Amino acid sequence: MAETLAGASAAIDTQILVAGAGSTGIAAALAFANAGWRVTLAGRFPPPLPGRTIALFEASVRFLDSIGVLETVRAAACPIETIHMVDDTDQLLPVPDLVMRSEEIDLPAFGLNVSNDELTAILLEHARAAQSFEIVESDIADYELEEDGATAILADGRRITADFIVAADGRGSKARAAAGIDTKEWTYPQVALTALLRHELPHDNVSTEFHTRSGPFTLVPLPPREGAEHRSSLVWLMSPRDAKRRLAKPRDELQFEMEDYSREKLGSITIESDIGEFRMGGLQVSRLTAPRLALVGETCHVFPPIGAQGLNLSLRDVADLEDCLASVDLRNPKELSRALTRYEMHRRADIGFRTHGVDLLNRSLIVPYLPIDLIRGAGFIAMTALGPLRRAVMREGVAPHLAQPRLMSREAPKEPRMRGKRGPEAIVDAARDAFAHLRATASRLG
């Protein structure tokens, strides 16, 4: 059951421990609990993130449907039907705008844009209502990873023993460090400002991305609210110096500057939320798994918010891991090792492709080098002129064909094998089921 354990002193025993209580962790706990595993979610729920929204593309929409939260999320979200990319770098050769419409790939929308805080709240509310797993609101201080199981030691001294750990505890992951997984981190000379905006003109469900020399200035549609018919979220990348200057401005002056950057496509702009600020950087890991552990989400990949790949990639991690562990006996090291090898192979290419692609595009914007401008411009021109190429890129962006686990393809999950059973009881029940199946088969043949 999804209940919060706060003061209990007894040790907690579970099959799958999900470490990290952000949106990725809660989604992972829901996915594994729905598949029949005994799950415990441990961690502190994140504080509000001012101005942050999440664009969830088609594969992620299917994932939300599979865990039972899609309709609630849809009610709080706005569909993204068109993506409009504008080269605003003032490069030597003019580059045409790139417009991509979901109807070109037979979808009513590319996905949904929803407030990050609302999404996390919806996932948590659904988890508590479903009562399908335990929630432990406590920091994890340390881990003990053994060949036959794993133990998380909480900050208050309690222990959680588990057959397997899903590490969703973010960029500074203690689970990853305990597993001895190396990281490669880097920074960009950029800061992102985020905000929720009201504006004069309708957005028509169009996400507009202005590519400037400091990085993208992106406006993503949001649903209306009482007193605010037209709303969008903003992600604005810039130098740390410009971020400091803009944050010190009076709001009306900053709003005027936003209107200029948006070419007044949305008319007058009013900032309705607090303004978020975070430094741009990237992270890669040497491997995605350890004998009793797998990494998902920002525990294993971080990159700038370009192309809205962040949480979409994280949910693909979760869906793929759930796929690989289906019907696996977690207590069998060889069987678990084979499943984790599959997960490593499946995710390595997808994560690498997205990380390097976003890194290349971001660096191509902030480095004013003519050959790079020409290559980027040629890509825009090719996608504008060649329909098949444009449609292939759109399909790969919203529902990658190389990563289609069941939770993102609407297939029914596999029947779990001996899930939740231990020792002789599992063997007896498995034998009983096998004999029942043989009797039924013999009866039909007779």
Side-chain angles (χ1 to χ4, degrees), residues 166-186:
V166 178
D169 51 341
R171 189 168 186 164
S173 170
K174 289 184 178 179
R176 185 187 63 217
I181 297 175
D182 295 328
T183 62
K184 174 185 176 183
E185 297 189 61
W186 62 95

mmCIF file with all atom_site columns, all heavy atoms in Angstrom, residues 166-186:
data_model
loop_
_atom_site.group_PDB
_atom_site.id
_atom_site.type_symbol
_atom_site.label_atom_id
_atom_site.label_alt_id
_atom_site.label_comp_id
_atom_site.label_asym_id
_atom_site.label_entity_id
_atom_site.label_seq_id
_atom_site.pdbx_PDB_ins_code
_atom_site.Cartn_x
_atom_site.Cartn_y
_atom_site.Cartn_z
_atom_site.occupancy
_atom_site.B_iso_or_equiv
_atom_site.pdbx_formal_charge
_atom_site.auth_seq_id
_atom_site.auth_comp_id
_atom_site.auth_asym_id
_atom_site.auth_atom_id
_atom_site.pdbx_PDB_model_num
ATOM 1   N N   . VAL A 1 166 ? 16.397 0.627  -8.011  1.00 0.00 ? 166 VAL A N   1
ATOM 2   C CA  . VAL A 1 166 ? 16.279 1.542  -9.157  1.00 0.00 ? 166 VAL A CA  1
ATOM 3   C C   . VAL A 1 166 ? 16.739 2.904  -8.666  1.00 0.00 ? 166 VAL A C   1
ATOM 4   O O   . VAL A 1 166 ? 16.083 3.530  -7.829  1.00 0.00 ? 166 VAL A O   1
ATOM 5   C CB  . VAL A 1 166 ? 14.824 1.608  -9.673  1.00 0.00 ? 166 VAL A CB  1
ATOM 6   C CG1 . VAL A 1 166 ? 14.725 2.605  -10.834 1.00 0.00 ? 166 VAL A CG1 1
ATOM 7   C CG2 . VAL A 1 166 ? 14.343 0.236  -10.113 1.00 0.00 ? 166 VAL A CG2 1
ATOM 8   N N   . ALA A 1 167 ? 17.872 3.356  -9.155  1.00 0.00 ? 167 ALA A N   1
ATOM 9   C CA  . ALA A 1 167 ? 18.468 4.614  -8.693  1.00 0.00 ? 167 ALA A CA  1
ATOM 10  C C   . ALA A 1 167 ? 17.922 5.772  -9.518  1.00 0.00 ? 167 ALA A C   1
ATOM 11  O O   . ALA A 1 167 ? 18.289 5.950  -10.687 1.00 0.00 ? 167 ALA A O   1
ATOM 12  C CB  . ALA A 1 167 ? 19.980 4.558  -8.793  1.00 0.00 ? 167 ALA A CB  1
ATOM 13  N N   . ALA A 1 168 ? 17.016 6.543  -8.902  1.00 0.00 ? 168 ALA A N   1
ATOM 14  C CA  . ALA A 1 168 ? 16.428 7.711  -9.550  1.00 0.00 ? 168 ALA A CA  1
ATOM 15  C C   . ALA A 1 168 ? 16.669 8.946  -8.689  1.00 0.00 ? 168 ALA A C   1
ATOM 16  O O   . ALA A 1 168 ? 15.842 9.859  -8.651  1.00 0.00 ? 168 ALA A O   1
ATOM 17  C CB  . ALA A 1 168 ? 14.934 7.489  -9.766  1.00 0.00 ? 168 ALA A CB  1
ATOM 18  N N   . ASP A 1 169 ? 17.815 8.963  -8.008  1.00 0.00 ? 169 ASP A N   1
ATOM 19  C CA  . ASP A 1 169 ? 18.091 10.017 -7.029  1.00 0.00 ? 169 ASP A CA  1
ATOM 20  C C   . ASP A 1 169 ? 18.912 11.166 -7.586  1.00 0.00 ? 169 ASP A C   1
ATOM 21  O O   . ASP A 1 169 ? 19.552 11.918 -6.841  1.00 0.00 ? 169 ASP A O   1
ATOM 22  C CB  . ASP A 1 169 ? 18.746 9.440  -5.772  1.00 0.00 ? 169 ASP A CB  1
ATOM 23  C CG  . ASP A 1 169 ? 19.949 8.550  -6.049  1.00 0.00 ? 169 ASP A CG  1
ATOM 24  O OD1 . ASP A 1 169 ? 20.089 8.072  -7.183  1.00 0.00 ? 169 ASP A OD1 1
ATOM 25  O OD2 . ASP A 1 169 ? 20.737 8.312  -5.121  1.00 0.00 ? 169 ASP A OD2 1
ATOM 26  N N   . GLY A 1 170 ? 18.908 11.327 -8.903  1.00 0.00 ? 170 GLY A N   1
ATOM 27  C CA  . GLY A 1 170 ? 19.387 12.558 -9.507  1.00 0.00 ? 170 GLY A CA  1
ATOM 28  C C   . GLY A 1 170 ? 20.879 12.668 -9.721  1.00 0.00 ? 170 GLY A C   1
ATOM 29  O O   . GLY A 1 170 ? 21.650 11.731 -9.551  1.00 0.00 ? 170 GLY A O   1
ATOM 30  N N   . ARG A 1 171 ? 21.246 13.876 -10.083 1.00 0.00 ? 171 ARG A N   1
ATOM 31  C CA  . ARG A 1 171 ? 22.611 14.153 -10.525 1.00 0.00 ? 171 ARG A CA  1
ATOM 32  C C   . ARG A 1 171 ? 23.671 13.822 -9.476  1.00 0.00 ? 171 ARG A C   1
ATOM 33  O O   . ARG A 1 171 ? 24.752 13.341 -9.793  1.00 0.00 ? 171 ARG A O   1
ATOM 34  C CB  . ARG A 1 171 ? 22.692 15.634 -10.914 1.00 0.00 ? 171 ARG A CB  1
ATOM 35  C CG  . ARG A 1 171 ? 23.968 16.039 -11.588 1.00 0.00 ? 171 ARG A CG  1
ATOM 36  C CD  . ARG A 1 171 ? 23.811 17.424 -12.179 1.00 0.00 ? 171 ARG A CD  1
ATOM 37  N NE  . ARG A 1 171 ? 24.970 17.810 -12.952 1.00 0.00 ? 171 ARG A NE  1
ATOM 38  C CZ  . ARG A 1 171 ? 24.973 18.815 -13.820 1.00 0.00 ? 171 ARG A CZ  1
ATOM 39  N NH1 . ARG A 1 171 ? 23.887 19.514 -14.017 1.00 0.00 ? 171 ARG A NH1 1
ATOM 40  N NH2 . ARG A 1 171 ? 26.066 19.115 -14.483 1.00 0.00 ? 171 ARG A NH2 1
ATOM 41  N N   . GLY A 1 172 ? 23.369 14.075 -8.207  1.00 0.00 ? 172 GLY A N   1
ATOM 42  C CA  . GLY A 1 172 ? 24.325 13.793 -7.139  1.00 0.00 ? 172 GLY A CA  1
ATOM 43  C C   . GLY A 1 172 ? 24.066 12.450 -6.485  1.00 0.00 ? 172 GLY A C   1
ATOM 44  O O   . GLY A 1 172 ? 24.254 12.319 -5.278  1.00 0.00 ? 172 GLY A O   1
ATOM 45  N N   . SER A 1 173 ? 23.692 11.448 -7.246  1.00 0.00 ? 173 SER A N   1
ATOM 46  C CA  . SER A 1 173 ? 23.211 10.154 -6.745  1.00 0.00 ? 173 SER A CA  1
ATOM 47  C C   . SER A 1 173 ? 24.181 9.460  -5.793  1.00 0.00 ? 173 SER A C   1
ATOM 48  O O   . SER A 1 173 ? 25.322 9.158  -6.138  1.00 0.00 ? 173 SER A O   1
ATOM 49  C CB  . SER A 1 173 ? 22.942 9.234  -7.943  1.00 0.00 ? 173 SER A CB  1
ATOM 50  O OG  . SER A 1 173 ? 22.692 7.926  -7.523  1.00 0.00 ? 173 SER A OG  1
ATOM 51  N N   . LYS A 1 174 ? 23.685 9.159  -4.583  1.00 0.00 ? 174 LYS A N   1
ATOM 52  C CA  . LYS A 1 174 ? 24.463 8.360  -3.641  1.00 0.00 ? 174 LYS A CA  1
ATOM 53  C C   . LYS A 1 174 ? 24.457 6.891  -4.045  1.00 0.00 ? 174 LYS A C   1
ATOM 54  O O   . LYS A 1 174 ? 25.426 6.166  -3.795  1.00 0.00 ? 174 LYS A O   1
ATOM 55  C CB  . LYS A 1 174 ? 23.909 8.521  -2.225  1.00 0.00 ? 174 LYS A CB  1
ATOM 56  C CG  . LYS A 1 174 ? 24.171 9.888  -1.612  1.00 0.00 ? 174 LYS A CG  1
ATOM 57  C CD  . LYS A 1 174 ? 23.691 9.952  -0.172  1.00 0.00 ? 174 LYS A CD  1
ATOM 58  C CE  . LYS A 1 174 ? 24.007 11.307 0.448   1.00 0.00 ? 174 LYS A CE  1
ATOM 59  N NZ  . LYS A 1 174 ? 23.532 11.393 1.839   1.00 0.00 ? 174 LYS A NZ  1
ATOM 60  N N   . ALA A 1 175 ? 23.358 6.444  -4.646  1.00 0.00 ? 175 ALA A N   1
ATOM 61  C CA  . ALA A 1 175 ? 23.288 5.050  -5.093  1.00 0.00 ? 175 ALA A CA  1
ATOM 62  C C   . ALA A 1 175 ? 24.326 4.786  -6.175  1.00 0.00 ? 175 ALA A C   1
ATOM 63  O O   . ALA A 1 175 ? 25.017 3.758  -6.157  1.00 0.00 ? 175 ALA A O   1
ATOM 64  C CB  . ALA A 1 175 ? 21.883 4.743  -5.610  1.00 0.00 ? 175 ALA A CB  1
ATOM 65  N N   . ARG A 1 176 ? 24.464 5.704  -7.096  1.00 0.00 ? 176 ARG A N   1
ATOM 66  C CA  . ARG A 1 176 ? 25.458 5.558  -8.166  1.00 0.00 ? 176 ARG A CA  1
ATOM 67  C C   . ARG A 1 176 ? 26.866 5.541  -7.594  1.00 0.00 ? 176 ARG A C   1
ATOM 68  O O   . ARG A 1 176 ? 27.712 4.733  -8.001  1.00 0.00 ? 176 ARG A O   1
ATOM 69  C CB  . ARG A 1 176 ? 25.295 6.714  -9.156  1.00 0.00 ? 176 ARG A CB  1
ATOM 70  C CG  . ARG A 1 176 ? 26.187 6.641  -10.386 1.00 0.00 ? 176 ARG A CG  1
ATOM 71  C CD  . ARG A 1 176 ? 26.056 7.914  -11.213 1.00 0.00 ? 176 ARG A CD  1
ATOM 72  N NE  . ARG A 1 176 ? 26.510 9.072  -10.450 1.00 0.00 ? 176 ARG A NE  1
ATOM 73  C CZ  . ARG A 1 176 ? 25.944 10.273 -10.502 1.00 0.00 ? 176 ARG A CZ  1
ATOM 74  N NH1 . ARG A 1 176 ? 24.887 10.491 -11.257 1.00 0.00 ? 176 ARG A NH1 1
ATOM 75  N NH2 . ARG A 1 176 ? 26.419 11.271 -9.773  1.00 0.00 ? 176 ARG A NH2 1
ATOM 76  N N   . ALA A 1 177 ? 27.132 6.424  -6.640  1.00 0.00 ? 177 ALA A N   1
ATOM 77  C CA  . ALA A 1 177 ? 28.456 6.464  -6.024  1.00 0.00 ? 177 ALA A CA  1
ATOM 78  C C   . ALA A 1 177 ? 28.749 5.164  -5.279  1.00 0.00 ? 177 ALA A C   1
ATOM 79  O O   . ALA A 1 177 ? 29.870 4.635  -5.345  1.00 0.00 ? 177 ALA A O   1
ATOM 80  C CB  . ALA A 1 177 ? 28.553 7.660  -5.077  1.00 0.00 ? 177 ALA A CB  1
ATOM 81  N N   . ALA A 1 178 ? 27.738 4.625  -4.558  1.00 0.00 ? 178 ALA A N   1
ATOM 82  C CA  . ALA A 1 178 ? 27.942 3.385  -3.809  1.00 0.00 ? 178 ALA A CA  1
ATOM 83  C C   . ALA A 1 178 ? 28.246 2.217  -4.739  1.00 0.00 ? 178 ALA A C   1
ATOM 84  O O   . ALA A 1 178 ? 28.971 1.292  -4.370  1.00 0.00 ? 178 ALA A O   1
ATOM 85  C CB  . ALA A 1 178 ? 26.697 3.075  -2.977  1.00 0.00 ? 178 ALA A CB  1
ATOM 86  N N   . ALA A 1 179 ? 27.699 2.272  -5.958  1.00 0.00 ? 179 ALA A N   1
ATOM 87  C CA  . ALA A 1 179 ? 27.941 1.207  -6.934  1.00 0.00 ? 179 ALA A CA  1
ATOM 88  C C   . ALA A 1 179 ? 29.275 1.385  -7.656  1.00 0.00 ? 179 ALA A C   1
ATOM 89  O O   . ALA A 1 179 ? 29.657 0.523  -8.463  1.00 0.00 ? 179 ALA A O   1
ATOM 90  C CB  . ALA A 1 179 ? 26.803 1.166  -7.950  1.00 0.00 ? 179 ALA A CB  1
ATOM 91  N N   . GLY A 1 180 ? 29.978 2.483  -7.401  1.00 0.00 ? 180 GLY A N   1
ATOM 92  C CA  . GLY A 1 180 ? 31.284 2.701  -8.029  1.00 0.00 ? 180 GLY A CA  1
ATOM 93  C C   . GLY A 1 180 ? 31.211 3.048  -9.497  1.00 0.00 ? 180 GLY A C   1
ATOM 94  O O   . GLY A 1 180 ? 32.152 2.771  -10.258 1.00 0.00 ? 180 GLY A O   1
ATOM 95  N N   . ILE A 1 181 ? 30.125 3.670  -9.913  1.00 0.00 ? 181 ILE A N   1
ATOM 96  C CA  . ILE A 1 181 ? 29.952 4.047  -11.322 1.00 0.00 ? 181 ILE A CA  1
ATOM 97  C C   . ILE A 1 181 ? 30.518 5.438  -11.534 1.00 0.00 ? 181 ILE A C   1
ATOM 98  O O   . ILE A 1 181 ? 30.128 6.401  -10.867 1.00 0.00 ? 181 ILE A O   1
ATOM 99  C CB  . ILE A 1 181 ? 28.464 3.983  -11.719 1.00 0.00 ? 181 ILE A CB  1
ATOM 100 C CG1 . ILE A 1 181 ? 27.942 2.549  -11.583 1.00 0.00 ? 181 ILE A CG1 1
ATOM 101 C CG2 . ILE A 1 181 ? 28.256 4.494  -13.136 1.00 0.00 ? 181 ILE A CG2 1
ATOM 102 C CD1 . ILE A 1 181 ? 26.446 2.402  -11.827 1.00 0.00 ? 181 ILE A CD1 1
ATOM 103 N N   . ASP A 1 182 ? 31.443 5.547  -12.467 1.00 0.00 ? 182 ASP A N   1
ATOM 104 C CA  . ASP A 1 182 ? 32.114 6.826  -12.742 1.00 0.00 ? 182 ASP A CA  1
ATOM 105 C C   . ASP A 1 182 ? 31.230 7.736  -13.584 1.00 0.00 ? 182 ASP A C   1
ATOM 106 O O   . ASP A 1 182 ? 30.383 7.281  -14.366 1.00 0.00 ? 182 ASP A O   1
ATOM 107 C CB  . ASP A 1 182 ? 33.435 6.590  -13.471 1.00 0.00 ? 182 ASP A CB  1
ATOM 108 C CG  . ASP A 1 182 ? 34.441 5.836  -12.617 1.00 0.00 ? 182 ASP A CG  1
ATOM 109 O OD1 . ASP A 1 182 ? 34.413 6.010  -11.385 1.00 0.00 ? 182 ASP A OD1 1
ATOM 110 O OD2 . ASP A 1 182 ? 35.244 5.058  -13.181 1.00 0.00 ? 182 ASP A OD2 1
ATOM 111 N N   . THR A 1 183 ? 31.446 9.039  -13.439 1.00 0.00 ? 183 THR A N   1
ATOM 112 C CA  . THR A 1 183 ? 30.698 10.028 -14.211 1.00 0.00 ? 183 THR A CA  1
ATOM 113 C C   . THR A 1 183 ? 31.644 10.964 -14.945 1.00 0.00 ? 183 THR A C   1
ATOM 114 O O   . THR A 1 183 ? 32.792 11.168 -14.533 1.00 0.00 ? 183 THR A O   1
ATOM 115 C CB  . THR A 1 183 ? 29.790 10.879 -13.302 1.00 0.00 ? 183 THR A CB  1
ATOM 116 O OG1 . THR A 1 183 ? 30.607 11.600 -12.365 1.00 0.00 ? 183 THR A OG1 1
ATOM 117 C CG2 . THR A 1 183 ? 28.794 10.013 -12.551 1.00 0.00 ? 183 THR A CG2 1
ATOM 118 N N   . LYS A 1 184 ? 31.148 11.512 -16.029 1.00 0.00 ? 184 LYS A N   1
ATOM 119 C CA  . LYS A 1 184 ? 31.835 12.583 -16.745 1.00 0.00 ? 184 LYS A CA  1
ATOM 120 C C   . LYS A 1 184 ? 30.883 13.773 -16.759 1.00 0.00 ? 184 LYS A C   1
ATOM 121 O O   . LYS A 1 184 ? 29.753 13.661 -17.244 1.00 0.00 ? 184 LYS A O   1
ATOM 122 C CB  . LYS A 1 184 ? 32.167 12.154 -18.175 1.00 0.00 ? 184 LYS A CB  1
ATOM 123 C CG  . LYS A 1 184 ? 32.762 13.273 -19.026 1.00 0.00 ? 184 LYS A CG  1
ATOM 124 C CD  . LYS A 1 184 ? 32.944 12.815 -20.469 1.00 0.00 ? 184 LYS A CD  1
ATOM 125 C CE  . LYS A 1 184 ? 33.455 13.952 -21.349 1.00 0.00 ? 184 LYS A CE  1
ATOM 126 N NZ  . LYS A 1 184 ? 33.569 13.524 -22.778 1.00 0.00 ? 184 LYS A NZ  1
ATOM 127 N N   . GLU A 1 185 ? 31.310 14.889 -16.192 1.00 0.00 ? 185 GLU A N   1
ATOM 128 C CA  . GLU A 1 185 ? 30.452 16.070 -16.121 1.00 0.00 ? 185 GLU A CA  1
ATOM 129 C C   . GLU A 1 185 ? 31.114 17.244 -16.816 1.00 0.00 ? 185 GLU A C   1
ATOM 130 O O   . GLU A 1 185 ? 32.337 17.355 -16.870 1.00 0.00 ? 185 GLU A O   1
ATOM 131 C CB  . GLU A 1 185 ? 30.154 16.425 -14.669 1.00 0.00 ? 185 GLU A CB  1
ATOM 132 C CG  . GLU A 1 185 ? 29.372 15.352 -13.913 1.00 0.00 ? 185 GLU A CG  1
ATOM 133 C CD  . GLU A 1 185 ? 28.915 15.828 -12.539 1.00 0.00 ? 185 GLU A CD  1
ATOM 134 O OE1 . GLU A 1 185 ? 28.140 16.811 -12.497 1.00 0.00 ? 185 GLU A OE1 1
ATOM 135 O OE2 . GLU A 1 185 ? 29.350 15.232 -11.542 1.00 0.00 ? 185 GLU A OE2 1
ATOM 136 N N   . TRP A 1 186 ? 30.292 18.133 -17.348 1.00 0.00 ? 186 TRP A N   1
ATOM 137 C CA  . TRP A 1 186 ? 30.796 19.337 -17.990 1.00 0.00 ? 186 TRP A CA  1
ATOM 138 C C   . TRP A 1 186 ? 29.772 20.451 -17.808 1.00 0.00 ? 186 TRP A C   1
ATOM 139 O O   . TRP A 1 186 ? 28.614 20.211 -17.457 1.00 0.00 ? 186 TRP A O   1
ATOM 140 C CB  . TRP A 1 186 ? 31.094 19.099 -19.469 1.00 0.00 ? 186 TRP A CB  1
ATOM 141 C CG  . TRP A 1 186 ? 29.896 18.701 -20.301 1.00 0.00 ? 186 TRP A CG  1
ATOM 142 C CD1 . TRP A 1 186 ? 29.086 19.517 -21.037 1.00 0.00 ? 186 TRP A CD1 1
ATOM 143 C CD2 . TRP A 1 186 ? 29.390 17.368 -20.493 1.00 0.00 ? 186 TRP A CD2 1
ATOM 144 N NE1 . TRP A 1 186 ? 28.100 18.791 -21.659 1.00 0.00 ? 186 TRP A NE1 1
ATOM 145 C CE2 . TRP A 1 186 ? 28.271 17.472 -21.353 1.00 0.00 ? 186 TRP A CE2 1
ATOM 146 C CE3 . TRP A 1 186 ? 29.772 16.110 -20.016 1.00 0.00 ? 186 TRP A CE3 1
ATOM 147 C CZ2 . TRP A 1 186 ? 27.525 16.351 -21.749 1.00 0.00 ? 186 TRP A CZ2 1
ATOM 148 C CZ3 . TRP A 1 186 ? 29.028 15.004 -20.409 1.00 0.00 ? 186 TRP A CZ3 1
ATOM 149 C CH2 . TRP A 1 186 ? 27.933 15.128 -21.272 1.00 0.00 ? 186 TRP A CH2 1
#
